[in-house]
Amino acid sequence: MFDTVFTDLPRRDWVTDRADGATGETLRIATVGCGNYARNVSIPAMVDGEYAEPTVVVSGDPEKRASLTEEFGVTAIDYDAYEAGAATDEYDAVYVATPNRLHLPHAETAARHGKHVVCEKPLEATVDRAERLVTACADADVRLMTAYRMQTDPVMRRLREFVDAGGIGTVQRASGDFTFPVLGGDAGPDQWRLDGHLAGGGALFDVGVYPLNTARFLTSDDPVAVSASTRSPDSAFDEVDQHVDMRVAFDGWMGNFSASFSGHANTELELLGSDGRVTVRSAFQPGADREVTVETPDGTLTVEGRGADETVEEFDYFAYAVTTGATIEPDGADGLVDMRTLAAVQESAATGERVSLDE
């Protein structure tokens, strides 16, 4: 088993032979919210994919609309036109990439127009609003995917197969960190990530969800309790957490995860089992070459520079599932598990108490 951890690493295990003969077809996607990530990562990933096609963009900025039309040949509309139903004959699904507290109204609009939804994580700024988002999609009978791109990363999918097969024995502990200097480069304090109302949380919501959700994915397990602390020593982070450390209890094992909005950029994840260990460096950056080390009694294997662009995989995964009726694993329910966990982390940090998660 050790020798086959990364055999056929880019394999798309979610593409299956179906008895009814259904195959993935092109899904036309409207991108709602055209910030830096959507413009420079998500829309190009759709272009590069096999099943997804960007056809419409929604932005309140006339210059962005003109630029995106010129670059990608898409139809560009503003938010009022989107709400009113403009260009609905030009797209089949909506990618919601606006600030967290705006996810709900934009997903509700998509559902009202009968369009499927892939929504950036976390699903919303509060649990209640996230639950309303999931309900809106269910009531309209449209598919919903939480945009957990790491769940479609081929490296992570092969690692989950390895862990599921007992490759490191029984999982005993996980640790992970995502440090993102949010004020780096040209970014200043006047951004939605530092607005507590729009974001719902700071480093916790924006990047802390990555090690949490990816550990859940690799172990197929959900949290049962959390203990946490947050710090915001710099005045720019008065409304949100600048640093968060969370101890997350699962059934029989513990996770220790951290996230920061300042400090040296870092992304890493480790799973420790009774019979081995998996370590991933460059674990969460978009399109990065993961450096993976697997240690077992059979020896040590290190792999880097292999895999595929997980954002391309993310949109193709969504498009394939929608057009074939296949299962979407990172669905609304998956997103809600994390929303409730994030809320518990905030409660624990505020009270200093361990917080249990109800069934």
Side-chain angles (χ1 to χ4, degrees):
M1 181 171 58
F2 180 83
D3 294 334
T4 62
V5 178
F6 293 107
T7 299
D8 193 17
L9 192 150
R11 170 173 51 89
R12 289 180 157 183
D13 56 279
W14 42 268
V15 175
T16 58
D17 294 329
R18 294 173 55 91
D20 59 9
T23 58
E25 299 174 359
T26 299
L27 187 75
R28 302 171 303 164
I29 299 179
T31 297
V32 179
C34 298
N36 178 67
Y37 187 85
R39 294 196 314 272
N40 296 320
V41 179
S42 299
I43 295 175
M46 297 179 206
V47 172
D48 291 341
E50 182 178 352
Y51 301 121
E53 177 188 3
T55 56
V56 175
V57 296
V58 181
S59 173
D61 186 331
E63 292 184 3
K64 283 184 183 179
R65 295 198 298 269
S67 175
L68 288 164
T69 295
E70 180 179 0
E71 183 174 1
F72 297 108
V74 294
T75 296
I77 60 177
D78 63 20
Y79 287 101
D80 289 339
Y82 169 65
E83 173 72 20
T88 50
D89 59 341
E90 297 183 43
Y91 64 94
D92 311 301
V94 169
Y95 167 50
V96 178
T98 47
N100 299 339
R101 188 170 286 270
L102 302 180
H103 290 178
L104 173 60
H106 297 320
E108 286 179 326
T109 296
R112 179 163 51 83
H113 294 317
K115 307 301 182 180
H116 307 286
V117 177
V118 53
C119 182
E120 269 302 336
K121 56 80 208 145
L123 278 178
E124 246 285 354
T126 70
V127 173
D128 174 70
R129 293 176 66 83
E131 290 172 343
R132 288 164 58 190
L133 189 156
V134 173
T135 298
C137 292
D139 288 348
D141 196 26
V142 298
R143 307 293 298 279
L144 170 63
M145 173 172 157
T146 308
Y148 289 129
R149 57 183 171 82
M150 301 317 304
Q151 293 198 26
T152 63
D153 186 304
V155 169
M156 297 300 181
R157 296 187 75 82
R158 301 293 81 78
L159 284 177
R160 182 171 71 163
E161 293 171 354
F162 183 67
V163 172
D164 282 349
I168 60 172
T170 302
V171 175
Q172 297 183 341
R173 187 168 71 246
S175 60
D177 175 73
F178 196 157
T179 296
F180 167 53
V182 73
L183 297 178
D186 297 330
D190 186 20
Q191 55 176 290
W192 70 265
R193 287 180 174 84
L194 305 188
D195 183 320
H197 179 74
L198 282 176
L204 172 64
F205 272 48
D206 197 60
V207 292
V209 73
Y210 279 92
L212 170 64
N213 182 265
T214 307
R216 287 183 50 227
F217 174 72
L218 292 177
T219 61
S220 302
D221 205 355
D222 290 338
V224 296
V226 300
S227 302
S229 63
T230 60
R231 296 181 298 115
S232 297
D234 297 340
S235 60
F237 302 92
D238 284 347
E239 297 185 22
V240 298
D241 52 278
Q242 183 178 353
H243 307 283
V244 59
D245 291 276
M246 46 185 159
R247 182 172 173 82
V248 184
F250 292 81
D251 185 14
W253 61 279
M254 298 295 299
N256 291 284
F257 308 117
S258 58
S260 295
F261 263 169
S262 63
H264 184 71
N266 181 59
T267 67
E268 59 186 1
L269 183 69
E270 179 179 277
L271 292 183
L272 180 69
S274 57
D275 301 315
R277 177 171 64 178
V278 169
T279 305
V280 187
R281 299 280 299 174
S282 298
F284 310 122
Q285 296 101 316
D289 289 329
R290 317 290 171 214
E291 180 184 322
V292 183
T293 300
V294 180
E295 302 173 53
T296 75
D298 293 330
T300 300
L301 172 68
T302 298
V303 175
E304 57 184 318
R306 296 174 60 185
D309 186 326
E310 84 284 352
T311 311
V312 173
E313 298 297 297
E314 172 191 2
F315 286 104
D316 270 359
Y317 175 101
F318 173 68
Y320 181 86
V322 168
T323 59
T324 65
T327 298
I328 294 176
E329 190 170 0
D331 57 7
D334 191 27
L336 286 177
V337 171
D338 286 326
M339 285 298 308
R340 292 167 183 144
T341 305
L342 299 182
V345 168
Q346 290 178 319
E347 180 183 347
S348 176
T351 64
E353 301 293 332
R354 185 176 191 265
V355 177
S356 296
L357 289 152
D358 296 330
E359 293 293 335

